[in-house]
Amino acid sequence: MFFGERIRQLREEKGLLQRQLAASLEMDTPMFSKIERGERKAKRDQVFLLAKLLSVPSEELLALWLAGQVYEIVKDEKVALNAMHIAEARLKLPVKPKYKTNNG
Amino acid sequence: MFFGERIRQLREEKGLLQRQLAASLEMDTPMFSKIERGERKAKRDQVFLLAKLLSVPSEELLALWLAGQVYEIVKDEKVALNAMHIAEARLKLPVKPKYKTNNG
DNA sequence: ATTACATTGTCCAAAATTTGGCAAGTCTAT
DNA sequence: ATAGACTTGCCAAATTTTGGACAATGTAAT
């Protein structure tokens, strides 16, 4: 399920029109349509606003939104999964402290 | 291991100087230095050229290079791993055909 | 067929980001 | 102090992203 698809699904469940959500996000309807179809990407702030307007946890939409960007980078690559695993491993690494502490 | 770190490692193993590789990539030394330190990102083409110059499979460098870009997107996100899993699942999905075939 | 309304497609200019490169800087060894 | 390798900071050109106008298309009701 892509970000835009999910937005549309939620919007329709609530019986809202594109122009209503578009207005809440202070953009025009064509723009909102593009976001739903994945032709444009929403801004980070708009993800949170949409979560509120559509009554879902912002984490759900944020994860979909990020996933979409990640997917765009690797989608046509033979080493896609490989790259993903490397990135995941890096995420799991403890953060190296920048400065020494007394007991560090 | 980050892309730039790996480049530096390979370069030093071969006893090459930044300016030598920089020349091969048709960029100046500061630029190459920035790539090694991850301050700038190499272009896709340059990844393949570097693989050749450093005698490693291009897949290895390409995967590191992609991983770096993926990592940049999610690194500070609470839902990072979540987003990664969603993107991975999407990668594993069969591609939906655009047009019907006779036996499709 | 006509109206009313929702959605999608095309195109352009402003804004923002990325890029390449220069000049000057640090650091190490001599 | 000089030389060589590398790093840092800054700027302008180039590219990409963005917002939005406007036209085109789709859809349902009459």
Side-chain angles (χ1 to χ4, degrees):
Chain A
M1 169 79 68
F2 287 69
F3 177 78
E5 287 173 353
R6 182 72 178 124
I7 295 297
R8 172 164 295 180
Q9 185 183 58
L10 290 166
R11 175 174 65 83
E12 290 175 347
E13 277 175 13
K14 295 215 148 197
L16 296 169
L17 299 176
Q18 286 186 345
R19 75 175 147 78
Q20 298 177 295
L21 283 180
S24 299
L25 299 187
E26 294 176 291
M27 63 175 62
D28 63 6
T29 312
M31 186 68 61
F32 188 85
S33 167
K34 284 165 194 169
I35 288 174
E36 276 193 352
R37 286 173 293 124
E39 191 180 317
R40 288 294 179 93
K41 82 178 194 211
K43 293 199 286 195
R44 200 188 149 79
D45 292 353
Q46 295 170 334
V47 175
F48 290 95
L49 188 43
L50 280 168
K52 183 169 248 173
L53 294 167
L54 296 169
S55 318
V56 287
S58 57
E59 286 80 8
E60 182 200 334
L61 294 188
L62 185 58
L64 281 175
W65 181 77
L66 290 168
Q69 295 177 62
V70 166
Y71 180 75
E72 272 307 302
I73 290 178
V74 298
K75 66 178 177 196
D76 293 325
E77 302 285 353
K78 265 189 299 195
V79 296
L81 279 175
N82 223 279
M84 294 290 289
H85 294 328
I86 294 170
E88 269 189 57
R90 194 172 296 169
L91 278 171
K92 289 171 180 163
L93 245 46
V95 180
K96 187 189 288 184
K98 268 215 160 81
Y99 304 106
K100 273 191 188 170
T101 58
N102 286 338
N103 55 2
Chain B
M1 169 79 69
F2 288 68
F3 176 79
E5 286 173 354
R6 182 71 177 126
I7 295 298
R8 172 163 295 180
Q9 185 183 58
L10 290 166
R11 176 174 65 83
E12 290 177 345
E13 277 174 13
K14 296 214 148 200
L16 296 170
L17 298 175
Q18 286 187 345
R19 76 175 146 78
Q20 298 178 296
L21 284 180
S24 298
L25 299 187
E26 294 176 292
M27 63 176 61
D28 65 4
T29 310
M31 186 67 61
F32 189 86
S33 166
K34 283 165 192 173
I35 288 174
E36 276 194 353
R37 284 173 295 119
E39 191 181 317
R40 289 294 180 93
K41 83 178 193 213
K43 293 199 285 195
R44 200 187 149 81
D45 292 352
Q46 296 170 335
V47 175
F48 290 95
L49 189 42
L50 280 168
K52 182 169 247 175
L53 293 167
L54 296 169
S55 319
V56 288
S58 58
E59 287 80 9
E60 182 199 334
L61 294 189
L62 186 58
L64 281 175
W65 182 77
L66 291 168
Q69 295 177 62
V70 166
Y71 180 75
E72 272 307 303
I73 290 177
V74 298
K75 66 177 177 195
D76 293 326
E77 303 285 352
K78 265 190 298 194
V79 296
L81 279 175
N82 223 279
M84 293 290 289
H85 294 329
I86 293 170
E88 270 189 59
R90 193 171 297 169
L91 279 171
K92 290 170 180 164
L93 245 46
V95 181
K96 188 189 289 184
K98 269 217 160 85
Y99 303 106
K100 272 188 190 172
T101 59
N102 286 336
N103 55 3

